[in-house]
Amino acid sequence: GENVEQHPSTLSVQEGDSAVIKCTYSDSASNYFPWYKQELGKGPQLIIDIRSNVGEKKDQRIAVTLNKTAKHFSLHITETQPEDSAVYFCAASNSWGKLQFGAGTQVVVTP
Amino acid sequence: NAGVTQTPKFQVLKTGQSMTLQCAQDMNHNSMYWYRQDPGMGLRLIYYSASEGTTDKGEVPNGYNVSRLNKREFSLRLESAAPSQTSVYFCASSGQGASDPEAFFGQGTRLTVV
């Protein structure tokens, strides 16, 4: 089955700097790659996703890139703000809703 | 529009007790899922239901059963709770196929088995 690895497990950045989280996946049939943000005590919430026929997608300060050949995808957050502090999860799926998650990255944005 | 609603939010069980976690969605989604979240391990799929009337095992189904009661509701049952089932449980729902893949999650049920 699918295996998703996520790095780093923790990331501390200064406010205004950029944050990058990287994930690799094993199943070449995976075609959907969402990123979720989880705040303390809440459920994960989708922040951006990308499909296998697209190499890059951007939404304001957030962007995701996908390299199908290397089987890796990354989340980029620019101009980080304190409210970006949370746990971020990448996921991969070959059947849309059924997701295989990475272990998560705790992002801390310090003023 | 509440999205995905889970009950209860917190629960403490003694080893060997049983309980049912309830989940309901109001987005008319076909697919529903139960995940568990443990520190350092992300979310792991327990069971899912691709459509009303069907259920399938996920990555970690042992010790659990599910019921897709109707299109809105998907329950998770622990027949004989064990300390290893201490976790945070999330229910999620999504549409079907490429046109509606986004999974929406509930707020979670924090379960402790002592």
Side-chain angles (χ1 to χ4, degrees):
Chain A
E2 176 67 277
N3 182 49
V4 177
E5 294 192 357
Q6 182 172 348
H7 299 281
S9 57
T10 59
L11 182 59
S12 183
V13 296
Q14 286 282 111
E15 183 177 356
D17 287 350
S18 295
V20 180
I21 304 170
K22 298 182 178 181
C23 290
T24 60
Y25 62 99
S26 61
D27 186 353
S28 56
S30 289
N31 54 14
Y32 176 62
F33 306 91
W35 285 88
Y36 283 83
K37 176 182 181 182
Q38 186 179 27
E39 297 176 341
L40 197 60
K42 297 186 177 181
Q45 186 169 12
L46 181 75
I47 54 172
I48 195 167
D49 57 13
I50 191 167
R51 301 173 188 223
S52 59
N53 58 348
V54 175
E56 184 174 356
K57 184 177 178 181
K58 190 173 182 179
D59 183 2
Q60 298 182 359
R61 296 186 297 107
I62 294 173
V64 59
T65 59
L66 171 65
N67 183 326
K68 284 177 57 180
T69 302
K71 293 188 196 153
H72 65 71
F73 56 114
S74 301
L75 177 72
H76 304 252
I77 307 173
T78 59
E79 301 172 20
T80 53
Q81 300 169 5
E83 52 264 38
D84 294 328
S85 294
V87 179
Y88 292 80
F89 292 97
C90 64
S93 174
N94 63 8
S95 59
W96 304 110
K98 203 173 102 177
L99 301 171
Q100 182 72 38
F101 283 86
T105 297
Q106 175 76 60
V107 174
V108 177
V109 180
T110 54
Chain B
N1 188 342
V4 179
T5 302
Q6 292 182 234
T7 54
K9 288 186 169 53
F10 301 93
Q11 184 71 49
V12 179
L13 288 179
K14 294 182 179 179
T15 298
Q17 286 186 319
S18 62
M19 80 162 293
T20 299
L21 281 64
Q22 306 287 353
C23 175
Q25 52 92 9
D26 61 5
M27 294 173 283
N28 200 35
H29 283 160
N30 287 316
S31 302
M32 296 186 73
Y33 315 84
W34 277 104
Y35 290 88
R36 61 177 287 173
Q37 183 176 28
D38 302 294
M41 300 186 74
L43 289 90
R44 293 181 293 168
L45 184 64
I46 304 170
Y47 271 94
Y48 67 103
S49 171
S51 60
E52 187 179 353
T54 69
T55 60
D56 283 291
K57 295 178 180 179
E59 182 184 354
V60 287
N62 291 344
Y64 305 96
N65 284 301
V66 291
S67 295
R68 183 74 182 265
L69 305 170
N70 47 55
K71 190 172 186 179
R72 289 188 63 246
E73 298 172 288
F74 188 38
S75 63
L76 178 71
R77 182 161 178 84
L78 287 70
E79 290 291 352
S80 179
S84 60
Q85 294 178 306
T86 293
S87 188
V88 182
Y89 292 85
F90 288 99
C91 177
S93 71
S94 70
Q96 224 160 12
S99 62
D100 195 11
E102 180 179 353
F104 292 81
F105 285 80
Q107 294 287 304
T109 296
R110 187 173 297 274
L111 175 67
T112 302
V113 183
V114 297

